[in-house]
Amino acid sequence: GNSVTQMEGPVTLSEEAFLTINCTYTATGYPSLFWYVQYPGEGLQLLLKATKADDKGSNKGFEATYRKETTSFHLEKGSVQVSDSAVYFCALGPSGGSYIPTFGRGTSLIVHP
Amino acid sequence: DTGVSQDPRHKITKRGQNVTFRCDPISEHNRLYWYRQTLGQGPEFLTYFQNEAQLEKSRLLSDRFSAERPKGSFSTLEIQRTEQGDSAMYLCASSLTPAADTQYFGPGTRLTVL
């Protein structure tokens, strides 16, 4: 079945630092790829997505590129803010005839002023 | 668009009791998912509906769990004879096919089994 591996957290950064959160996957077929974010006390919400190889998803200064050759979808941001502190989940859409989306275990980001 | 809503937001119950949770998806969304999330983990798939049809159910799901979506709108998730290991956040999400599978999540129901 499909699986997602995310880097362990927490990731602790100072404001304006560069962020990378690694995500690699195994999948049957060619699923869409997603990053969801969960702010404290809130539900998951879509941050960005990419639907095919070499697509770049972007939103709120975050970016991730669908890399089929390395089966990766790393999340990056050039300059983080305190308000970016949250848990970030990498996810695969359904593929290979299954209806089941697959989520990583999440990476907590803590940004200090 | 009022978003996905879930009720109740919190439920505390004693071991052995039955509980039922409700999810109201975004009105035009025909796909509905239930997940379970425990501390430090990502959402774990439980079951999936397309309209009123339950098309997929996790093999990990005990037969104490059942879900319905009788008219293709709201859905209920029932857990019978609850166990302490059922304590978790139960998430509902909906999506509109064929919009590249983006899911819209509700705030979740936190279940505590004493």
Side-chain angles (χ1 to χ4, degrees), chain A residues 18-42:
Chain A
F18 183 86
L19 169 70
T20 300
I21 300 178
N22 290 337
C23 171
T24 57
Y25 66 90
T26 59
T28 303
Y30 303 100
S32 297
L33 303 181
F34 303 84
W35 279 100
Y36 287 86
V37 58
Q38 187 171 31
Y39 298 103
E42 299 184 13

Side-chain angles (χ1 to χ4, degrees), chain A:
Chain A
N2 293 356
S3 67
V4 176
T5 303
Q6 284 184 241
M7 63 188 290
E8 293 269 341
V11 173
T12 304
L13 296 172
S14 297
E15 205 164 26
E16 299 184 2
F18 183 86
L19 169 70
T20 300
I21 300 178
N22 290 337
C23 171
T24 57
Y25 66 90
T26 59
T28 303
Y30 303 100
S32 297
L33 303 181
F34 303 84
W35 279 100
Y36 287 86
V37 58
Q38 187 171 31
Y39 298 103
E42 299 184 13
L44 277 79
Q45 55 186 275
L46 178 70
L47 179 60
L48 54 84
K49 68 182 181 185
T51 58
K52 61 182 186 297
D54 300 324
D55 268 3
K56 178 186 284 187
S58 61
N59 185 27
K60 300 181 181 179
F62 291 89
E63 294 183 340
T65 301
Y66 192 141
R67 300 287 189 200
K68 190 174 72 170
E69 64 276 13
T70 55
T71 60
S72 64
F73 193 54
H74 304 319
L75 182 68
E76 297 183 334
K77 186 175 186 182
S79 176
V80 294
Q81 305 300 311
V82 172
S83 58
D84 294 327
S85 299
V87 181
Y88 293 81
F89 294 92
C90 184
L92 311 183
S95 67
S98 168
Y99 297 105
I100 301 176
T102 305
F103 285 78
R105 62 187 301 164
T107 302
S108 174
L109 171 65
I110 301 169
V111 181
H112 293 294

Side-chain angles (χ1 to χ4, degrees), chain A residues 32 34 36 38 41-46 49 51 89 92-94 97-106, chain B residues 9 31 33 35 37 40-43 45 48 50 55-58 91 99-107:
Chain A
S32 297
F34 303 84
Y36 287 86
Q38 187 171 31
E42 299 184 13
L44 277 79
Q45 55 186 275
L46 178 70
K49 68 182 181 185
T51 58
F89 294 92
L92 311 183
S98 168
Y99 297 105
I100 301 176
T102 305
F103 285 78
R105 62 187 301 164
Chain B
R9 294 291 303 275
R31 292 181 176 182
Y33 301 82
Y35 296 89
Q37 186 180 22
Q41 300 295 318
F45 172 82
Y48 162 67
Q50 189 161 314
L55 297 186
E56 192 112 36
K57 186 175 176 180
S58 170
L91 303 174
D101 306 310
T102 299
Q103 295 180 70
Y104 297 82
F105 282 83

